[in-house]
Amino acid sequence: MAMSRNRRTTSLRDSDSRLGESDRIEGAGSWDAIEWTTIDQPVSRPVPHGLSDFLYEAEEVIAEGYGVLVNTDEAGTLFVTNFRLLFLSEGSRDIIALGTIPLATIEKFNKIVIRQPSGPRQIDKTPTRRLLQVIGKDMRIIIFAFRPRTKQRRAVFEALLRCAKPTRLWDLYAFSSGPSRFSNTSPRVRLVNEYIRLLGIESRNSSGSLIEDGSFTLCNNWWRISDVNATYDMCATYPFSLLLPKSIRDEDVLQACKFRARCRLPAISWCDARTGAVLARSSQPLVGLMMNMRSNADENLVGALCTQLLDGERGRRKLYIADARPRKNALANGAMGGGSESSANYFQCEIVFFGIDNIHAMRESLVRLRDYLDTHGTKSSDGMSSFLRHGGWTWGGGNLSSMSASVSTLGDSGWLSHIQNVLAGSAWIAARVAIESASVLVHCSDGWDRTTQLVALASLLLDPYYRTIKGFQALVEKDWLAFGHPFSDRAGMPSLSGSDAELPRQSSSSNFPSSPMRQTPGSYPSQSPMPPQTHFK
């Protein structure tokens, strides 16, 4: 067996060669360059002796190669399974965590050749080292080295091509262990049950039959479960059932959706059945360049979030509209038909801008953060300790100026500022609901990135149920899955295909329908989608 071979491996640190763009003389196997690969029948190999103890249920070995984890200069065997890259140390006979990464967490992988300095008797020959670089979405940059002319690197690389990016959703390891053991396997039933919990109707519970015959449209004094989007005709990226104000009819909901980008109208994500305060979400309103477009139906729907306070003499509760974007970005979206609400047009509301940057700024910041970690982390992508490269200083002491420079570089990435803005915004939203008993409507541009982050985190703060395993599952299913977060685009995951319905891929740029002018209810003009445009998200 490969991992039991008694071999001494020459350290790759002896070479002064560094990984650079000029060293990459072979094609890259990255998410950007590789097409999705159809897996008819994964080719599995017999499990090597002693490895079965480390494998999960239904995890199968596809390929293996003996080599060195350059980051730690440790020899061992690299296995490709239908779930992960797994590096087993030759010395400790144990899994090395740094060199083990789930396939779904791999962002890119490249074959690299490094040319080493020639010896005095190797004038015509330039020795090379053949490496495999794996870049993870978790910031890891892992380097594996293989013996030349053994074709083991090729076997591992080709296995990654086949298995790391399958065409069908069902080819992912998550679906390889067969049907779920849980009795409630219907996401629709689970969603409706979560709505019933929020409404405070303890005596009722949903089932598949109730979903089929439409008997799930329950209500309390303030809110109701609506089936207005049961066929997804109103909004393809919203759930089949929505939690809406009881006072708003489905006919008015159909009118209101036309005034929001991608028809993602204001819908309730969380509500307090004791006080009547709600946390709602939507996309941006289609107010246009002059910010003068209005919709009676949208204003009535948003106003219905302001229910009466428990003390009737105090009137209706306040509404905050939390726009996740910087104010300038919201105004710039007006040129493409979008924009933000005016407090003069919505009942008893206050508009707040959180200043969270768009997805393009986040990606740039993530690149800078990755560079920072590769420079100042404990182990970098070339296998050398960054502490040694920078004069031997450590976090616990040593050169203070070097430490200050490191912290400054981290600050320049902007990543911590982005995280701070999201966390501060979520805490602010939760405080308005919990302390003031106010309602909050959250949106960004499309309402599926920043909006989802803010609403989900605020819900975690507001409701201890979401801090349980079952509750956290309900939160992810409701606010991330049901409300159409574009996982396929954001995380590089496949869509449903084959005998199942093909889900459309959503672009990160909005496609705004034209905005309805202010008219009497029931007389809104028909709308047709505009061509896709570039805008500030």
PDB file of all heavy atoms in Angstrom, residues 12 65 69 83 95 114 154 192 240 245 260 286 293 342 378 397 418 468 475 520 527 534:
ATOM      1  N   LEU A  12      11.142  20.119   0.136  1.00  0.00           N
ATOM      2  CA  LEU A  12      10.995  21.103  -0.936  1.00  0.00           C
ATOM      3  C   LEU A  12      11.421  22.487  -0.478  1.00  0.00           C
ATOM      4  O   LEU A  12      11.490  23.403  -1.268  1.00  0.00           O
ATOM      5  CB  LEU A  12       9.537  21.145  -1.397  1.00  0.00           C
ATOM      6  CG  LEU A  12       9.052  19.893  -2.106  1.00  0.00           C
ATOM      7  CD1 LEU A  12       7.594  20.058  -2.497  1.00  0.00           C
ATOM      8  CD2 LEU A  12       9.893  19.592  -3.323  1.00  0.00           C
ATOM      9  N   GLY A  65      -2.645   9.188  -4.596  1.00  0.00           N
ATOM     10  CA  GLY A  65      -1.293   9.455  -5.053  1.00  0.00           C
ATOM     11  C   GLY A  65      -0.375   9.686  -3.864  1.00  0.00           C
ATOM     12  O   GLY A  65      -0.752  10.354  -2.894  1.00  0.00           O
ATOM     13  N   LEU A  69       2.855  16.942   1.408  1.00  0.00           N
ATOM     14  CA  LEU A  69       2.110  18.168   1.668  1.00  0.00           C
ATOM     15  C   LEU A  69       3.142  19.262   1.885  1.00  0.00           C
ATOM     16  O   LEU A  69       3.790  19.332   2.929  1.00  0.00           O
ATOM     17  CB  LEU A  69       1.214  18.002   2.900  1.00  0.00           C
ATOM     18  CG  LEU A  69       0.453  19.236   3.374  1.00  0.00           C
ATOM     19  CD1 LEU A  69      -0.478  19.760   2.286  1.00  0.00           C
ATOM     20  CD2 LEU A  69      -0.327  18.936   4.648  1.00  0.00           C
ATOM     21  N   PHE A  83     -16.266  12.827  -1.524  1.00  0.00           N
ATOM     22  CA  PHE A  83     -16.588  13.916  -0.607  1.00  0.00           C
ATOM     23  C   PHE A  83     -15.463  14.927  -0.452  1.00  0.00           C
ATOM     24  O   PHE A  83     -15.701  16.119  -0.333  1.00  0.00           O
ATOM     25  CB  PHE A  83     -16.952  13.336   0.768  1.00  0.00           C
ATOM     26  CG  PHE A  83     -17.061  14.354   1.860  1.00  0.00           C
ATOM     27  CD1 PHE A  83     -17.905  15.450   1.741  1.00  0.00           C
ATOM     28  CD2 PHE A  83     -16.314  14.227   3.033  1.00  0.00           C
ATOM     29  CE1 PHE A  83     -17.997  16.392   2.762  1.00  0.00           C
ATOM     30  CE2 PHE A  83     -16.403  15.162   4.042  1.00  0.00           C
ATOM     31  CZ  PHE A  83     -17.247  16.243   3.903  1.00  0.00           C
ATOM     32  N   ILE A  95      -4.961  11.548   9.716  1.00  0.00           N
ATOM     33  CA  ILE A  95      -5.350  12.575   8.752  1.00  0.00           C
ATOM     34  C   ILE A  95      -4.702  13.901   9.127  1.00  0.00           C
ATOM     35  O   ILE A  95      -4.723  14.303  10.292  1.00  0.00           O
ATOM     36  CB  ILE A  95      -6.881  12.724   8.715  1.00  0.00           C
ATOM     37  CG1 ILE A  95      -7.527  11.471   8.111  1.00  0.00           C
ATOM     38  CG2 ILE A  95      -7.287  13.948   7.923  1.00  0.00           C
ATOM     39  CD1 ILE A  95      -9.037  11.514   8.105  1.00  0.00           C
ATOM     40  N   ILE A 114       7.541  23.749 -11.119  1.00  0.00           N
ATOM     41  CA  ILE A 114       8.575  24.683 -10.655  1.00  0.00           C
ATOM     42  C   ILE A 114       9.925  24.198 -11.147  1.00  0.00           C
ATOM     43  O   ILE A 114      10.298  23.043 -10.933  1.00  0.00           O
ATOM     44  CB  ILE A 114       8.590  24.778  -9.115  1.00  0.00           C
ATOM     45  CG1 ILE A 114       7.320  25.469  -8.623  1.00  0.00           C
ATOM     46  CG2 ILE A 114       9.816  25.530  -8.626  1.00  0.00           C
ATOM     47  CD1 ILE A 114       7.326  25.710  -7.134  1.00  0.00           C
ATOM     48  N   ARG A 154      -1.366  13.296 -12.174  1.00  0.00           N
ATOM     49  CA  ARG A 154      -2.391  13.285 -13.227  1.00  0.00           C
ATOM     50  C   ARG A 154      -3.639  12.548 -12.757  1.00  0.00           C
ATOM     51  O   ARG A 154      -4.758  12.997 -12.996  1.00  0.00           O
ATOM     52  CB  ARG A 154      -1.846  12.635 -14.486  1.00  0.00           C
ATOM     53  CG  ARG A 154      -2.886  12.532 -15.613  1.00  0.00           C
ATOM     54  CD  ARG A 154      -2.373  11.726 -16.779  1.00  0.00           C
ATOM     55  NE  ARG A 154      -1.200  12.346 -17.383  1.00  0.00           N
ATOM     56  CZ  ARG A 154      -0.545  11.828 -18.421  1.00  0.00           C
ATOM     57  NH1 ARG A 154      -0.949  10.659 -18.930  1.00  0.00           N
ATOM     58  NH2 ARG A 154       0.501  12.436 -18.928  1.00  0.00           N
ATOM     59  N   VAL A 192     -44.156  25.694   6.280  1.00  0.00           N
ATOM     60  CA  VAL A 192     -45.464  26.060   6.820  1.00  0.00           C
ATOM     61  C   VAL A 192     -45.500  25.850   8.332  1.00  0.00           C
ATOM     62  O   VAL A 192     -46.076  26.659   9.067  1.00  0.00           O
ATOM     63  CB  VAL A 192     -46.582  25.266   6.115  1.00  0.00           C
ATOM     64  CG1 VAL A 192     -47.923  25.499   6.796  1.00  0.00           C
ATOM     65  CG2 VAL A 192     -46.671  25.661   4.644  1.00  0.00           C
ATOM     66  N   PHE A 240     -43.282  29.253  -1.847  1.00  0.00           N
ATOM     67  CA  PHE A 240     -44.630  28.979  -2.347  1.00  0.00           C
ATOM     68  C   PHE A 240     -45.693  29.536  -1.402  1.00  0.00           C
ATOM     69  O   PHE A 240     -46.813  29.818  -1.806  1.00  0.00           O
ATOM     70  CB  PHE A 240     -44.826  27.471  -2.525  1.00  0.00           C
ATOM     71  CG  PHE A 240     -45.194  26.742  -1.268  1.00  0.00           C
ATOM     72  CD1 PHE A 240     -46.500  26.329  -1.037  1.00  0.00           C
ATOM     73  CD2 PHE A 240     -44.228  26.476  -0.295  1.00  0.00           C
ATOM     74  CE1 PHE A 240     -46.840  25.662   0.129  1.00  0.00           C
ATOM     75  CE2 PHE A 240     -44.561  25.801   0.863  1.00  0.00           C
ATOM     76  CZ  PHE A 240     -45.866  25.387   1.077  1.00  0.00           C
ATOM     77  N   PRO A 245     -49.545  40.469   6.024  1.00  0.00           N
ATOM     78  CA  PRO A 245     -50.543  41.096   6.893  1.00  0.00           C
ATOM     79  C   PRO A 245     -51.946  40.567   6.586  1.00  0.00           C
ATOM     80  O   PRO A 245     -52.325  40.419   5.419  1.00  0.00           O
ATOM     81  CB  PRO A 245     -50.419  42.589   6.566  1.00  0.00           C
ATOM     82  CG  PRO A 245     -49.028  42.740   6.041  1.00  0.00           C
ATOM     83  CD  PRO A 245     -48.731  41.473   5.305  1.00  0.00           C
ATOM     84  N   ARG A 260     -41.668  46.192  -6.940  1.00  0.00           N
ATOM     85  CA  ARG A 260     -40.404  45.789  -6.326  1.00  0.00           C
ATOM     86  C   ARG A 260     -39.546  45.053  -7.346  1.00  0.00           C
ATOM     87  O   ARG A 260     -40.057  44.325  -8.199  1.00  0.00           O
ATOM     88  CB  ARG A 260     -40.663  44.878  -5.120  1.00  0.00           C
ATOM     89  CG  ARG A 260     -41.373  45.579  -3.972  1.00  0.00           C
ATOM     90  CD  ARG A 260     -40.426  46.435  -3.167  1.00  0.00           C
ATOM     91  NE  ARG A 260     -41.116  47.332  -2.248  1.00  0.00           N
ATOM     92  CZ  ARG A 260     -40.524  48.024  -1.284  1.00  0.00           C
ATOM     93  NH1 ARG A 260     -39.218  47.929  -1.121  1.00  0.00           N
ATOM     94  NH2 ARG A 260     -41.209  48.839  -0.513  1.00  0.00           N
ATOM     95  N   LEU A 286     -39.177  50.312  -7.059  1.00  0.00           N
ATOM     96  CA  LEU A 286     -38.866  50.821  -8.398  1.00  0.00           C
ATOM     97  C   LEU A 286     -39.334  52.268  -8.510  1.00  0.00           C
ATOM     98  O   LEU A 286     -40.291  52.592  -9.211  1.00  0.00           O
ATOM     99  CB  LEU A 286     -39.530  49.940  -9.455  1.00  0.00           C
ATOM    100  CG  LEU A 286     -39.173  48.449  -9.370  1.00  0.00           C
ATOM    101  CD1 LEU A 286     -39.895  47.647 -10.435  1.00  0.00           C
ATOM    102  CD2 LEU A 286     -37.665  48.242  -9.468  1.00  0.00           C
ATOM    103  N   MET A 293     -41.716  57.776  -8.515  1.00  0.00           N
ATOM    104  CA  MET A 293     -42.701  56.747  -8.809  1.00  0.00           C
ATOM    105  C   MET A 293     -43.265  56.187  -7.504  1.00  0.00           C
ATOM    106  O   MET A 293     -42.532  56.005  -6.536  1.00  0.00           O
ATOM    107  CB  MET A 293     -42.076  55.609  -9.633  1.00  0.00           C
ATOM    108  CG  MET A 293     -41.550  56.045 -10.983  1.00  0.00           C
ATOM    109  SD  MET A 293     -42.844  56.664 -12.055  1.00  0.00           S
ATOM    110  CE  MET A 293     -41.898  56.960 -13.552  1.00  0.00           C
ATOM    111  N   SER A 342     -39.165  56.834   0.101  1.00  0.00           N
ATOM    112  CA  SER A 342     -39.215  58.157   0.716  1.00  0.00           C
ATOM    113  C   SER A 342     -40.090  58.055   1.956  1.00  0.00           C
ATOM    114  O   SER A 342     -41.205  57.528   1.906  1.00  0.00           O
ATOM    115  CB  SER A 342     -39.791  59.196  -0.252  1.00  0.00           C
ATOM    116  OG  SER A 342     -40.080  60.404   0.426  1.00  0.00           O
ATOM    117  N   THR A 378       0.252  31.240   9.685  1.00  0.00           N
ATOM    118  CA  THR A 378       1.266  30.350  10.240  1.00  0.00           C
ATOM    119  C   THR A 378       1.987  29.575   9.142  1.00  0.00           C
ATOM    120  O   THR A 378       3.192  29.400   9.168  1.00  0.00           O
ATOM    121  CB  THR A 378       0.608  29.360  11.212  1.00  0.00           C
ATOM    122  OG1 THR A 378      -0.092  30.102  12.211  1.00  0.00           O
ATOM    123  CG2 THR A 378       1.654  28.494  11.882  1.00  0.00           C
ATOM    124  N   GLY A 397       5.246  38.214  20.660  1.00  0.00           N
ATOM    125  CA  GLY A 397       6.322  39.137  21.000  1.00  0.00           C
ATOM    126  C   GLY A 397       7.191  39.381  19.794  1.00  0.00           C
ATOM    127  O   GLY A 397       6.812  39.088  18.678  1.00  0.00           O
ATOM    128  N   HIS A 418     -16.363  45.290   6.645  1.00  0.00           N
ATOM    129  CA  HIS A 418     -17.585  44.708   6.074  1.00  0.00           C
ATOM    130  C   HIS A 418     -18.303  43.858   7.125  1.00  0.00           C
ATOM    131  O   HIS A 418     -19.529  43.960   7.285  1.00  0.00           O
ATOM    132  CB  HIS A 418     -17.246  43.853   4.857  1.00  0.00           C
ATOM    133  CG  HIS A 418     -16.666  44.618   3.708  1.00  0.00           C
ATOM    134  ND1 HIS A 418     -17.168  45.832   3.305  1.00  0.00           N
ATOM    135  CD2 HIS A 418     -15.647  44.336   2.853  1.00  0.00           C
ATOM    136  CE1 HIS A 418     -16.476  46.280   2.272  1.00  0.00           C
ATOM    137  NE2 HIS A 418     -15.549  45.383   1.985  1.00  0.00           N
ATOM    138  N   THR A 468     -31.071  26.717  18.352  1.00  0.00           N
ATOM    139  CA  THR A 468     -31.051  25.264  18.510  1.00  0.00           C
ATOM    140  C   THR A 468     -30.763  24.629  17.149  1.00  0.00           C
ATOM    141  O   THR A 468     -30.874  25.301  16.114  1.00  0.00           O
ATOM    142  CB  THR A 468     -32.398  24.747  19.044  1.00  0.00           C
ATOM    143  OG1 THR A 468     -33.423  24.960  18.046  1.00  0.00           O
ATOM    144  CG2 THR A 468     -32.793  25.489  20.320  1.00  0.00           C
ATOM    145  N   LEU A 475     -34.305  28.155  10.146  1.00  0.00           N
ATOM    146  CA  LEU A 475     -33.886  29.499   9.722  1.00  0.00           C
ATOM    147  C   LEU A 475     -33.204  29.465   8.367  1.00  0.00           C
ATOM    148  O   LEU A 475     -33.477  30.295   7.489  1.00  0.00           O
ATOM    149  CB  LEU A 475     -32.950  30.090  10.778  1.00  0.00           C
ATOM    150  CG  LEU A 475     -32.399  31.486  10.479  1.00  0.00           C
ATOM    151  CD1 LEU A 475     -33.511  32.518  10.466  1.00  0.00           C
ATOM    152  CD2 LEU A 475     -31.325  31.868  11.493  1.00  0.00           C
ATOM    153  N   THR A 520     -55.052  55.186  -8.968  1.00  0.00           N
ATOM    154  CA  THR A 520     -56.009  54.622  -8.036  1.00  0.00           C
ATOM    155  C   THR A 520     -55.835  53.116  -8.001  1.00  0.00           C
ATOM    156  O   THR A 520     -55.453  52.503  -8.993  1.00  0.00           O
ATOM    157  CB  THR A 520     -57.444  54.949  -8.474  1.00  0.00           C
ATOM    158  OG1 THR A 520     -57.626  54.466  -9.806  1.00  0.00           O
ATOM    159  CG2 THR A 520     -57.686  56.434  -8.429  1.00  0.00           C
ATOM    160  N   GLN A 527     -46.859  45.598 -17.110  1.00  0.00           N
ATOM    161  CA  GLN A 527     -45.426  45.850 -17.112  1.00  0.00           C
ATOM    162  C   GLN A 527     -44.698  44.745 -17.833  1.00  0.00           C
ATOM    163  O   GLN A 527     -45.084  43.591 -17.778  1.00  0.00           O
ATOM    164  CB  GLN A 527     -44.911  45.939 -15.671  1.00  0.00           C
ATOM    165  CG  GLN A 527     -45.561  47.072 -14.898  1.00  0.00           C
ATOM    166  CD  GLN A 527     -45.066  47.076 -13.476  1.00  0.00           C
ATOM    167  OE1 GLN A 527     -44.381  46.163 -13.053  1.00  0.00           O
ATOM    168  NE2 GLN A 527     -45.412  48.095 -12.744  1.00  0.00           N
ATOM    169  N   THR A 534     -26.416  46.973 -16.230  1.00  0.00           N
ATOM    170  CA  THR A 534     -25.440  47.012 -15.160  1.00  0.00           C
ATOM    171  C   THR A 534     -25.836  48.115 -14.203  1.00  0.00           C
ATOM    172  O   THR A 534     -26.214  49.193 -14.610  1.00  0.00           O
ATOM    173  CB  THR A 534     -24.031  47.298 -15.728  1.00  0.00           C
ATOM    174  OG1 THR A 534     -23.716  46.303 -16.690  1.00  0.00           O
ATOM    175  CG2 THR A 534     -22.999  47.283 -14.608  1.00  0.00           C
TER     176      THR A 534
END
